[in-house]
């Protein structure tokens, strides 16, 4: 059966790994990203070679109008949406509590929480049986930081992911009546470029030693969980968030 999946923040890291795992004949992929056109184009070419139709959607998920236009383009190009992966997310430079200011807080919450909610609203209008849809699945990418709190690093980022977990629980229970399955994944420390944005790269080798499995995770290991949650194999889970964290 043809599926239409929108992945936000798909140009690199966990989003790109998810798109790679989903790709194949009959798998239409709508890939959102913010600014890295070159990475998005290169990924799209690789996915098309594997049989997917690919639509590139540069947009800031923190802007509800850009989000609405993005979903309208998916309607027009691919038709009925079947899956959404809310993966776009940002961190901020590592700091203690006194280094947190209003612009930083506003941006973190705008992208990680508001952006996730805007995308869920748009997806639910299309997937929900209440509005004539045929159901679907949504996976929100949270973080183990939601539960560990990231003391002295970025408690504000951790709080955004705590909010994402609440959205997953609440909307999982609200939207299942409309045939929409809502899930989350909580990655541990995964080898992607995001750590350069927080300035925590140098601390990664030591962090890896403290993880029970003894190493950092790979983006494709998180993608495996996301793709399974999107699939009918996860049909009896409602509002569940899986830890993909090597025991962390
Ligand atoms: P990444 O390598 O930094 O990639 C982030 C992606 O999100 C990029 O494609 C980026 O686009 C896009 N993006 C950022 N802000 C955006 C916005 N406002 N609108 C649309 N797209 C936006 O990150 P990652 O490590 O793969 O992380 C993906 C998700 O996993 C995030 O939600 C993150 O919080 C979560 N996570 C990551 C880890 C980890 O250790 N890596 C751990 C726990 C949770 P551009 O490149 O065009 O800017």
């Amino acid at each position: 059966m043809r599926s239409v999946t929108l992945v936000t923040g798909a140009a690199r890291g966990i989003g790109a790994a998810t798109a790679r795992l989903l790709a194949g004949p009959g798998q239409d992929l709508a890939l959102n990203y913010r600014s890295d056109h070159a990475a998005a184009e290169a990924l799209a070419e690789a996915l098309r070679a594997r049989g997917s139709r690919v639509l590139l959607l540069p947009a800031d998920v923190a802007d509800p109008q850009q989000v609405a236009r993005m979903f309208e383009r998916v309607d027009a190009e691919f038709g009925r949406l079947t899956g959404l992966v809310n993966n776009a997310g940002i961190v901020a430079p590592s700091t203690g509590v006194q280094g947190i200011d209003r612009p930083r807080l506003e941006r973190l919450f705008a992208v990680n929480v508001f952006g996730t909610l805007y995308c869920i609203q748009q997806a639910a209008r299309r997937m929900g049986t209440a509005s004539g849809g045929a159901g679907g699945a949504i996976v929100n990418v949270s973080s183990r930081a939601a539960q560990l709190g990231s003391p002295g690093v970025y408690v504000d980022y951790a709080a955004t992911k705590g909010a994402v977990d609440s959205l997953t629980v609440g909307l999982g229970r609200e939207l299942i009546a409309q045939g929409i399955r809502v899930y989350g994944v909580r990655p541990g420390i995964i080898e992607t470029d995001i750590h350069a944005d927080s300035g925590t790269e140098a601390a990664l080798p030591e962090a890896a030693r403290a993880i029970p499995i003894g190493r950092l995770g790979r983006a494709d290991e998180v993608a495996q969980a996301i793709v399974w949650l999107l699939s009918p194999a996860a049909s009896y889970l409602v509002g569940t968030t899986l830890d993909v964290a090597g025991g962390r």
Side-chain angles (χ1 to χ4, degrees):
M1 202 188 83
R2 178 164 288 282
S3 71
V4 177
T5 309
L6 169 57
V7 182
T8 68
R12 53 194 168 97
I14 294 167
T18 302
R20 273 190 216 99
L21 204 55
L22 286 169
Q27 306 294 316
D28 292 346
L29 295 170
L31 307 182
N32 158 262
Y33 58 100
R34 186 184 44 189
S35 57
D36 193 346
H37 303 294
E41 290 286 357
L43 178 65
E45 199 177 307
L47 303 182
R48 286 185 186 117
R50 290 174 41 191
S52 275
R53 291 197 296 173
V54 181
L55 179 62
L56 293 183
L57 299 166
D60 183 348
V61 296
D63 178 338
Q65 287 171 340
Q66 291 185 41
V67 169
R69 281 199 293 274
M70 182 167 86
F71 278 81
E72 283 161 12
R73 282 200 61 204
V74 178
D75 297 339
E77 300 278 338
F78 289 160
R80 194 175 67 77
L81 185 75
T82 59
L84 166 68
V85 181
N86 272 313
N87 167 76
I90 56 167
V91 291
S94 177
T95 181
V97 66
Q98 301 304 339
I100 297 172
D101 60 13
R102 186 171 174 166
R104 169 183 163 122
L105 271 180
E106 285 181 346
R107 187 64 189 157
L108 279 171
F109 276 83
V111 175
N112 296 359
V113 184
F114 298 3
T116 295
L117 187 54
Y118 298 147
C119 289
I120 294 175
Q121 286 176 323
Q122 293 291 336
R125 276 181 210 143
R126 288 157 172 87
M127 294 173 173
T129 51
S131 45
I138 297 172
V139 179
N140 300 322
V141 180
S142 173
S143 171
R144 276 292 286 146
Q147 296 170 319
L148 300 173
S150 301
V153 183
Y154 35 48
V155 293
D156 43 3
Y157 165 79
T160 67
K161 294 300 189 178
V164 168
D165 283 0
S166 296
L167 291 177
T168 301
V169 171
L171 294 174
R173 291 173 176 167
E174 180 177 326
L175 294 176
I176 194 64
Q178 293 193 47
I180 304 172
R181 300 179 288 116
V182 183
Y183 307 121
V185 292
R186 272 187 293 263
I189 307 176
I190 311 301
E191 288 182 85
T192 71
D193 295 340
I194 204 169
H195 307 290
D197 299 334
S198 57
T200 53
E201 272 175 318
L204 289 179
E206 193 187 331
R209 283 191 289 278
I211 300 171
I213 203 171
R215 63 172 176 84
L216 304 180
R218 298 187 314 268
D220 65 280
E221 293 176 306
V222 182
Q224 289 285 354
I226 294 171
V227 171
W228 182 77
L229 287 168
L230 287 174
S231 80
S235 57
Y236 202 61
L237 274 68
V238 171
T240 304
T241 296
L242 299 180
D243 289 342
V244 188
R248 188 166 186 262

